Amino acid sequence: QVQLVESGGGLVQPGGSLRLSCAASGSTIDRYNMGWFRQAPGKEREFVSAIRWRDSVATYADSVKGRFTISRDNGKNTLYLQMNVLKPEDPAVYYCAAARNTIWPIRDGFDYWGQGTQVTVSS
């Protein structure tokens, strides 16, 4: 069982940056594929990015490619999402997730979820 707690959300101006963190407990994440998802009001949850367990290879949604960077620190049992050049379409609740499934690439089938952190982009 993995417990995930996100932090780092907040209000930022368009073009600004935020770094989200996801602290894991209950198990080490070094054997899990990890991911970030987001859900805006009235919309379905969507995939943002994922990072592979064994070598930190990453994959991104087209909408964030080149602006967001996912990373992991297995020693700290923490997942990160660096978000740059934030746009008006980026606001959402951002969730981190962990997948026991080691198949790659992965965009669904995650087993454990955090409670989410709100990201707001406004001038």
Side-chain angles (χ1 to χ4, degrees):
Q1 194 80 4
V2 180
Q3 291 81 45
L4 303 170
V5 178
E6 302 93 337
S7 61
L11 172 65
V12 64
Q13 292 185 340
S17 299
L18 279 176
R19 188 175 84 152
L20 305 183
S21 299
C22 173
S25 61
S27 178
T28 56
I29 63 171
D30 56 340
R31 291 300 183 100
Y32 290 84
N33 287 330
M34 301 293 294
W36 288 97
F37 292 76
R38 66 186 182 186
Q39 187 168 21
K43 295 186 177 181
E44 293 187 353
R45 186 171 61 196
E46 65 173 354
F47 169 81
V48 174
S49 181
I51 187 166
R52 191 158 63 184
W53 70 275
R54 59 181 172 88
D55 55 9
S56 293
V57 166
T59 184
Y60 299 92
D62 289 342
S63 58
V64 307
K65 199 173 294 183
R67 299 188 297 121
F68 290 10
T69 302
I70 190 172
S71 62
R72 62 194 298 162
D73 185 334
N74 290 338
K76 294 182 178 180
N77 225 27
T78 301
L79 177 73
Y80 302 98
L81 185 68
Q82 177 67 44
M83 305 186 295
N84 297 329
V85 194
L86 282 160
K87 298 180 177 181
E89 57 264 36
D90 292 322
V93 177
Y94 281 72
Y95 300 89
C96 72
R100 293 191 300 261
N101 190 344
T102 58
I103 292 176
W104 187 263
I106 184 170
R107 295 201 170 197
D108 56 20
F110 285 75
D111 302 291
Y112 305 105
W113 295 84
Q115 83 291 347
T117 185
Q118 178 71 51
V119 171
T120 303
V121 180
S122 176
S123 55

